[in-house]
Amino acid sequence: MRAKLSSINDEAWTKEMLSSYQLRSPANEGPEASKFQAAEEKFDNKMLRNTNATGDFKLPGDFLKEVSLHDVRLLPNSMHWRAQQTNLEYLVMLDVDRLVWSFRKTAGLPTPGTPYGGWEDQKMELRGHFLGHYLSATAMAWASTRNETVKQKMDAVMSVLSECQKKIGTGYLSAFPSEFFDRLENLVYVWAPYYTIHKIMAGLLDQYTLANNGQALNITIWMADYFNTRVQNLIARSSLERHYQTLNDESGGMNDALYKLYGITKDPKHLKLAELFDKPCFLGLLAVKEDNIAGLHANTHIPLVCGVQNRYELTGDEQSMALPFFFWASFKKVLQAQFMFGNCQAMGTFFMDIINSSHSYATGGTSHQEFWTDPKRIATALSAETEESCTTYNMLKVSRYLFKWTKQVTYADYYERALTNGVLGIQRGTEPGVMIYMLPLSPGSSKAKSYHGWGDAFDSFWCCYGTGIESFAKLGDSIYFEQEGKGPGVYIIQYISSTFDWKAGQIVIHQNVDPVVSWDQNLRMALTFTSNKGPGVSSVLNLRIPFWANPNGGKATLNKDNLQIPSPDDRPQYASLQAIFYGPYLLAGYSQHDHEIKTGPVKSLSEWITPIPASYNAGLVTFSQKSGNSSLVLMKNQSVTIEPWPAAGTGGDANATFRLIGNDQRPINFTTVKNVISKQVMFEPFDFPGKLLMQQGNNDSLVIANNPGNSVFQVNAGLDGKPDTVSLESVSRKGCFVFSDVNLKAGAALKLNCQQPDDGFKQAASFVMQKGISQYHPISFLAKGSNRNYLLAPLLSFRDESYSVYFNITN
């Protein structure tokens, strides 16, 4: 909506959309207003003076330490490495002049080239946010791969940003003018300017910490000086409340970036400025353990939690600031509460608990149309606009902090689930720069058919493009953690093929994980060690035992107490709505809309979910016919037709693939046309297991059904006499052949035709038989139901194909 407000030139529509927009606090109006103002006057100055942190806080010795991306390398046999490489290609593709175009324009410098489109277009008020992500992603990618082209690009960007900031001369740096903040401070609509500033500052700090760029730190400090002056002036000119009202807009993780800056500089003014971006009307609720997040914009608030978690690590959270604040309850009653902006560790834990128990999908993601909905009402929040990718990126940060502090496996399990299912599947295969905004979860979903669909490498630049390039640049993150102390230890919490140069332990750890397959239910991982130079060091190796490895089924604990694994919805009518996992992999079923599974009386899952063996790929075939310079394929849609060749990764390639089965129900391998000539076979649709290509009668259309008696064909040499073609003859109706159309046009229904063959008939009844254009994923299963069966594969493997993630499973 906010993108449309920036891009559509329709004054009437814009006025209507903004008619209900306000950044004001409810306490501005009604009988509570004077009470709020009196309290505000009393506490404004006190708050601005109170800072007890000394800057020398040290985390307890049993807390874990993140390892540097410089010391971790992914191995090429992992899907994580492939995703990292695809992302690396995208980072290299992007042009520096186009990325910094708006920054140069704002600074009054020459602007060679043209700006990028999408959310980086000149009409878009959020422009510049992606460059902040690009700074973070390139720093992470360089640390993870040492790619020199990435290094050259990020250094070039840094040089331009420094030039822009010096030209402006105030410390301000952005792709839009500072007047945007004038509007914000006057409570006039503008699209989230602090969000963009946060991304820029976070990217600069990543350039400093990961790429050792001192220039980046200097730019950040000057920016912080500018905004410190700006915020203090606003408070002095208006009030502290007015500053907080500017935070009712999406301000990203400004607190997080400023706490990170304080962690580097130890300058108290950076700490004080960070505290001013801790949003009390949200964090206060967490402090008093009040679950009232329904209706809030998810990605506005998750970064605030990351910020206070960062604050805890830097300050120990010893500051106890008693600050009155007001918040809405049921949109009518204004409540006053005092909170100790105290234990940020407990706040992070409480927040993670309410997300996991009440607002989390099977993927680990959260939000519906970017917002949190009613708690424990997931079933009615499944749509094409489910789960904004940005939220998963930020929830991974929340869980990482909690695991470092507690070593509780449940947080590592969550990280694995969200990374595997909520991150890895947002790339479109290995196409650089093609990602999604939302991950749809409704029955019959497709990643290509959400509101945004797949993005474009040079003309999208949505918020989720920014978090996406970061996520894929730091896939080496959170595999390993260090335990410092007299006896060093290392925790391996993710099973990803990689190496870790563990300097404290004076060894290099080589973790090699065999690819996971459906027909082998063991996760096989080999660890080998190479000694570094120096004397041996006694150390401890810790390996996570995932919840899915428990032979008695899934189990979760919190503070040693067993927790009931939540269902998608607490309403009884949705109790049968289930998602299916294989280890950490969320399985989706190929489906246009179906999601019903009636199992019949069974004693175990293995009776109705069975693995598809690798050998089945050898029996997959596709039939095509030549039409001029193009090819048409036999495809299963509502009926069986001849259609244009489908693009890779679309639902069409699944619809154009069939599995060969002998009339004795045994699978048949296809190696060459010769090895299937004269065999009697049946054809099972790839994405509709258990159904068969069925003949009805002379000149009747072929259908997909489950009547084996009318589904047997003999594969003959092509009637057109060509060496690479076959003709499919009915076994029950000799002399009758599968026939497309004499004029060979797309959309023609396939029929069984028994007429005397002439040249036109021979051509229409001859097909090129080749290897299936779809193949079974190594993790593929057959889920049997009484009405239909489903082909299951990991959600991350789907591109444009339609799928269902949640099934209504009854017996």
Side-chain angles (χ1 to χ4, degrees), residues 252-327:
M254 277 295 292
N255 64 341
D256 193 22
L258 290 165
Y259 281 127
K260 187 173 183 179
L261 178 62
Y262 167 71
I264 296 168
T265 66
K266 302 302 180 186
D267 187 333
K269 72 179 179 183
H270 295 149
L271 176 61
K272 192 174 295 185
L273 183 59
E275 290 169 349
L276 284 168
F277 284 91
D278 283 333
K279 187 175 178 178
C281 65
F282 169 66
L283 297 174
L285 295 174
L286 298 184
V288 297
K289 297 191 183 305
E290 176 70 24
D291 177 3
N292 196 31
I293 69 172
L296 295 182
H297 184 263
N299 208 50
T300 293
H301 295 89
I302 305 172
L304 291 167
V305 178
C306 299
V308 295
Q309 288 179 307
N310 193 358
R311 167 187 174 148
Y312 173 69
E313 292 205 343
L314 291 169
T315 69
D317 207 40
E318 296 302 322
Q319 174 178 344
S320 56
M321 171 177 57
L323 175 69
F325 72 100
F326 296 84
F327 58 91

Side-chain angles (χ1 to χ4, degrees), residues 517-687:
V517 295
S518 56
W519 53 89
D520 182 352
Q521 295 186 10
N522 294 290
L523 176 71
R524 303 183 185 278
M525 185 265 289
L527 291 175
T528 56
F529 309 93
T530 304
S531 178
N532 283 337
K533 294 180 180 179
V537 174
S538 178
S539 54
V540 178
L541 181 68
N542 302 274
L543 300 175
R544 174 177 66 106
I545 304 299
F547 79 95
W548 44 261
N550 189 312
N552 297 320
K555 180 180 179 183
T557 61
L558 179 64
N559 298 328
K560 298 183 180 180
D561 295 325
N562 290 338
L563 299 177
Q564 181 180 358
I565 297 176
S567 63
D569 200 293
D570 67 350
R571 292 169 288 187
Q573 65 266 39
Y574 296 108
S576 58
L577 199 64
Q578 307 271 338
I580 303 171
F581 278 86
Y582 182 61
Y585 296 95
L586 176 58
L587 301 178
Y590 284 80
S591 168
Q592 294 295 324
H593 52 79
D594 296 344
H595 67 294
E596 302 285 338
I597 295 182
K598 295 181 179 179
T599 65
V602 293
K603 296 179 181 178
S604 66
L605 284 174
S606 60
E607 292 185 42
W608 62 275
I609 299 181
T610 54
I612 292 178
S615 60
Y616 273 23
N617 277 319
L620 295 177
V621 296
T622 292
F623 296 96
S624 65
Q625 292 180 321
K626 282 286 185 181
S627 176
N629 295 324
S630 61
S631 292
L632 301 176
V633 296
L634 188 156
M635 189 176 292
K636 172 198 69 64
N637 289 305
Q638 296 296 324
S639 58
V640 183
T641 57
I642 195 81
E643 301 289 351
W645 196 274
T650 64
D653 58 6
N655 292 339
T657 303
F658 297 82
R659 184 169 73 93
L660 291 176
I661 304 172
N663 60 359
D664 57 0
Q665 300 294 327
R666 293 183 180 180
I668 293 178
N669 293 341
F670 170 72
T671 54
T672 65
V673 169
K674 288 183 178 179
N675 86 302
V676 293
I677 295 295
S678 300
K679 289 189 175 178
Q680 295 184 356
V681 300
M682 296 181 289
F683 301 99
E684 178 186 80
F686 175 83
D687 56 349

Side-chain angles (χ1 to χ4, degrees), residues 195-356:
Y195 176 94
T196 297
I197 296 301
H198 157 235
K199 301 306 179 186
I200 295 169
M201 295 183 79
L204 290 166
L205 291 175
D206 283 332
Q207 286 287 317
Y208 172 72
T209 56
L210 290 172
N212 199 30
N213 191 314
Q215 186 182 44
L217 180 60
N218 293 334
I219 294 173
T220 312
I221 291 173
W222 201 7
M223 288 182 71
D225 288 344
Y226 172 85
F227 284 103
N228 185 59
T229 300
R230 177 147 208 149
V231 171
Q232 298 292 349
N233 287 343
L234 175 63
I235 294 172
R237 183 175 68 249
S238 298
S239 63
L240 176 62
E241 180 200 1
R242 175 59 64 90
H243 166 65
Y244 281 141
Q245 286 171 332
T246 70
L247 303 187
N248 287 338
D249 197 44
E250 186 172 5
S251 56
M254 277 295 292
N255 64 341
D256 193 22
L258 290 165
Y259 281 127
K260 187 173 183 179
L261 178 62
Y262 167 71
I264 296 168
T265 66
K266 302 302 180 186
D267 187 333
K269 72 179 179 183
H270 295 149
L271 176 61
K272 192 174 295 185
L273 183 59
E275 290 169 349
L276 284 168
F277 284 91
D278 283 333
K279 187 175 178 178
C281 65
F282 169 66
L283 297 174
L285 295 174
L286 298 184
V288 297
K289 297 191 183 305
E290 176 70 24
D291 177 3
N292 196 31
I293 69 172
L296 295 182
H297 184 263
N299 208 50
T300 293
H301 295 89
I302 305 172
L304 291 167
V305 178
C306 299
V308 295
Q309 288 179 307
N310 193 358
R311 167 187 174 148
Y312 173 69
E313 292 205 343
L314 291 169
T315 69
D317 207 40
E318 296 302 322
Q319 174 178 344
S320 56
M321 171 177 57
L323 175 69
F325 72 100
F326 296 84
F327 58 91
W328 277 124
S330 301
F331 299 101
K332 293 181 179 179
K333 184 179 179 183
V334 179
L335 301 177
Q336 184 178 17
Q338 269 197 330
F339 69 95
M340 301 296 285
F341 205 51
N343 195 339
C344 292
Q345 182 183 19
M347 290 165 65
T349 302
F350 176 70
F351 177 73
M352 190 73 181
D353 288 348
I354 62 177
I355 292 295
N356 265 340

Side-chain angles (χ1 to χ4, degrees), residues 79-216:
M79 60 183 174
H80 301 79
W81 179 87
R82 290 194 298 272
Q84 182 189 70
Q85 290 300 115
T86 299
N87 190 61
L88 187 63
E89 290 179 43
Y90 182 44
L91 297 179
V92 170
M93 284 165 52
L94 293 170
D95 179 76
V96 170
D97 284 335
R98 299 190 71 183
L99 286 168
V100 301
W101 196 95
S102 297
F103 286 83
R104 283 175 166 151
K105 180 178 174 59
T106 300
L109 293 171
T111 52
T114 57
Y116 279 121
W119 285 15
E120 289 299 306
D121 187 272
Q122 283 301 286
K123 295 179 181 178
M124 295 296 183
E125 294 180 339
L126 206 69
R127 60 187 182 271
H129 78 103
F130 183 81
L131 185 71
H133 288 291
Y134 185 80
L135 290 173
S136 292
T138 50
M140 295 167 181
W142 184 74
S144 299
T145 66
R146 282 298 193 276
N147 182 281
E148 282 303 314
T149 304
V150 164
K151 180 72 163 64
Q152 292 166 12
K153 283 182 175 284
M154 66 187 189
D155 287 349
V157 169
M158 287 303 310
S159 178
V160 173
L161 294 183
S162 178
E163 184 183 8
C164 290
Q165 190 182 43
K166 290 175 182 176
K167 180 67 167 59
I168 295 172
T170 63
Y172 182 77
L173 176 66
S174 186
F176 49 75
S178 60
E179 286 76 16
F180 280 24
F181 287 97
D182 296 339
R183 288 163 55 189
L184 182 69
E185 291 168 2
N186 286 309
L187 309 184
V188 176
Y189 174 78
V190 61
W191 188 3
Y194 272 125
Y195 176 94
T196 297
I197 296 301
H198 157 235
K199 301 306 179 186
I200 295 169
M201 295 183 79
L204 290 166
L205 291 175
D206 283 332
Q207 286 287 317
Y208 172 72
T209 56
L210 290 172
N212 199 30
N213 191 314
Q215 186 182 44

Side-chain angles (χ1 to χ4, degrees), residues 61-63 482-489 504 537-538:
D62 59 345
F63 278 21
E482 287 187 89
Q483 176 82 65
E484 296 180 316
K486 292 182 180 179
V537 174
S538 178

Side-chain angles (χ1 to χ4, degrees), residues 42-104:
K42 181 177 179 181
F43 284 93
D44 272 6
N45 292 330
K46 180 179 178 181
M47 184 221 171
L48 296 177
R49 289 196 305 268
N50 269 1
T51 299
N52 300 326
T54 61
D56 58 0
F57 171 72
K58 300 294 183 186
L59 284 171
D62 59 345
F63 278 21
L64 298 179
K65 175 185 174 184
E66 294 181 41
V67 306
S68 172
L69 285 172
H70 289 277
D71 296 329
V72 179
R73 292 291 178 269
L74 302 182
L75 299 181
N77 68 332
S78 71
M79 60 183 174
H80 301 79
W81 179 87
R82 290 194 298 272
Q84 182 189 70
Q85 290 300 115
T86 299
N87 190 61
L88 187 63
E89 290 179 43
Y90 182 44
L91 297 179
V92 170
M93 284 165 52
L94 293 170
D95 179 76
V96 170
D97 284 335
R98 299 190 71 183
L99 286 168
V100 301
W101 196 95
S102 297
F103 286 83
R104 283 175 166 151

